Amino acid sequence: MSALLQAAPSVIAAFLGSLVEFVEALTIVLAVGTVRGWRPALTGAMAGALVLIAIVLLLGPLLSVIPLRPLQFAIGLLLLLFGMRWLRKAILRAAGIIPLHDEAAAFAAETAEMRAAKLSTGPIAILRLDPIAVVTTFKAVVIEGIEVAFIVIAVGAAGHTLLPASLGAAVAGLLVIGLGVLIHRPLARVPENALKFAVGVLISAFGCFWIGEGLGFPWPGEDLAVIAMVVCLLAASMAAAQIAGRRVPTVRAGE
Amino acid sequence: MATLATILKELWGLFVDDGSLALALVVWIAACGVGLGHTPIPVDWDAPILFVGCLAILIFNVMQTIRRRKAMQVDR
């Protein structure tokens, strides 16, 4: 029971963070599939998934070979840059300074781009696969998948809960794919900015924690310092969004 | 080749959106790693100083973006 309680925050954070990324990938796959056909769209997506699995299988064992402190520092730095980037964007979006991400608009833009792109000839075209469609879905799955891998490492590695965090991400993936198959439309009602805000806070806190560990700085309260950092980051970011929202008029989505 | 370049560019974009934010964070972390050991500050403060600096950089960057946005609106 206590192990379950210990793993719960990692599972929930990985589930929510991955949900956002899977929704973004699904929007692109749906747009490409609707306009250019499902065969090339799914071929690209599956190739992307295979490349991702290969990257994880190749790089995963390497992580155990690298000395602990440099590894903690390097992963921490990447997580901090990744998390702070998400958090900055989420604050500016929450304040209305940059428009909210709109899956319906992204779907419309992607379908328009796919319609405009001409069918090209090339090695993939000879195999009766539309290369633009294959490359577009391949790229989407690889890029969003790497973000999912980062989220899982961020929330799972510090508390030795990588497996439960991976399960959280897998459930998010299955849920999004299932809904995509059922409704054949982009999932526009996911509160993406709120999720990005929350996950940006978590990843930034974990990134900072790992950098400190890598540099050999002792954290007051040890692992509990992560919780204190989450609270501070959340409070400061929400205050910044409030102040920013008062200073600059809101920008509507699509502007 | 173009696809690989696009993927690499997008991978870079995962970590660096606003270059000044990323640069400031990297410089701050390097300064903490190199400098804090040479100051009379007790070692227990190193980690909190690292965190507070990162948080301050984020908030400063957001406020700067707002200032830039406001200046753009005044120019219009």
Side-chain angles (χ1 to χ4, degrees):
Chain A
M1 186 65 184
S2 68
L4 203 71
L5 280 175
Q6 196 192 345
S10 305
V11 176
I12 294 166
F15 173 80
L16 295 177
S18 306
L19 198 68
V20 176
E21 300 308 327
F22 284 125
V23 166
E24 286 181 10
L26 176 78
T27 300
I28 295 172
V29 174
L30 282 174
V32 174
T34 308
V35 177
R36 314 280 292 209
W38 291 104
R39 197 165 157 234
L42 294 177
T43 304
M46 289 217 278
L50 287 175
V51 167
L52 262 179
I53 292 168
I55 290 172
V56 171
L57 289 178
L58 275 172
L59 296 183
L62 277 181
L63 292 180
S64 58
V65 178
I66 303 169
L68 186 64
R69 283 217 165 148
L71 181 69
Q72 286 175 327
F73 181 79
I75 288 184
L77 182 62
L78 290 178
L79 291 178
L80 186 76
L81 293 178
F82 182 77
M84 287 277 182
R85 180 183 155 265
W86 265 34
L87 197 48
R88 175 183 177 273
K89 226 174 204 174
I91 294 170
L92 294 173
R93 279 182 177 154
I97 290 165
I98 56 174
L100 289 167
H101 188 81
D102 182 346
E103 285 306 324
F107 181 78
E110 192 69 43
T111 48
E113 201 176 305
M114 284 294 118
R115 280 199 184 99
K118 285 181 182 165
L119 278 171
S120 46
T121 51
I124 311 173
I126 292 163
L127 298 171
R128 293 177 183 233
L129 280 176
D130 174 0
I132 292 172
V134 173
V135 169
T136 305
T137 53
F138 173 81
K139 221 169 60 184
V141 170
V142 170
I143 298 287
E144 305 302 342
I146 286 174
E147 293 197 47
V148 169
F150 260 99
I151 292 163
V152 170
I153 291 171
V155 298
H160 304 290
T161 51
L162 264 178
L163 188 65
S166 309
L167 284 175
V171 170
L174 289 174
L175 183 70
V176 170
I177 293 167
L179 284 172
V181 169
L182 272 176
I183 65 174
H184 265 68
R185 293 179 72 86
L187 307 179
R189 290 192 182 175
V190 175
E192 189 177 318
N193 204 49
L195 291 179
K196 278 201 162 174
F197 205 120
V199 179
V201 163
L202 276 173
I203 292 178
S204 300
F206 278 117
C208 203
F209 180 80
W210 280 72
I211 291 170
E213 290 280 295
L215 291 172
F217 295 169
W219 283 102
E222 297 181 356
D223 289 1
L224 288 176
V226 175
I227 297 170
M229 284 192 279
V230 166
V231 172
C232 289
L233 277 165
L234 196 60
S237 304
M238 286 172 82
Q242 282 278 330
I243 295 165
R246 262 185 249 137
R247 286 190 184 178
V248 179
T250 304
V251 176
R252 287 187 305 274
E255 273 183 39
Chain B
M1 202 62 194
T3 307
L4 187 69
T6 313
I7 288 179
L8 288 175
K9 204 175 147 195
E10 292 202 26
L11 277 179
W12 172 257
L14 289 183
F15 306 103
V16 181
D17 180 11
D18 181 297
S20 61
L21 174 66
L23 184 68
L25 286 169
V26 169
V27 168
W28 174 246
I29 291 160
C32 285
V34 175
L36 280 176
H38 301 289
T39 62
I41 300 168
V43 73
D44 286 348
W45 285 94
D46 288 357
I49 288 171
L50 169 76
F51 170 68
V52 170
C54 292
L55 183 58
I57 287 168
L58 172 71
I59 300 300
F60 180 75
N61 182 280
V62 168
M63 292 306 162
Q64 244 190 345
T65 308
I66 296 164
R67 237 174 274 139
R68 273 203 301 266
R69 175 71 64 160
K70 266 180 99 174
M72 276 167 63
Q73 284 176 347
V74 171
D75 286 347
R76 279 180 206 161

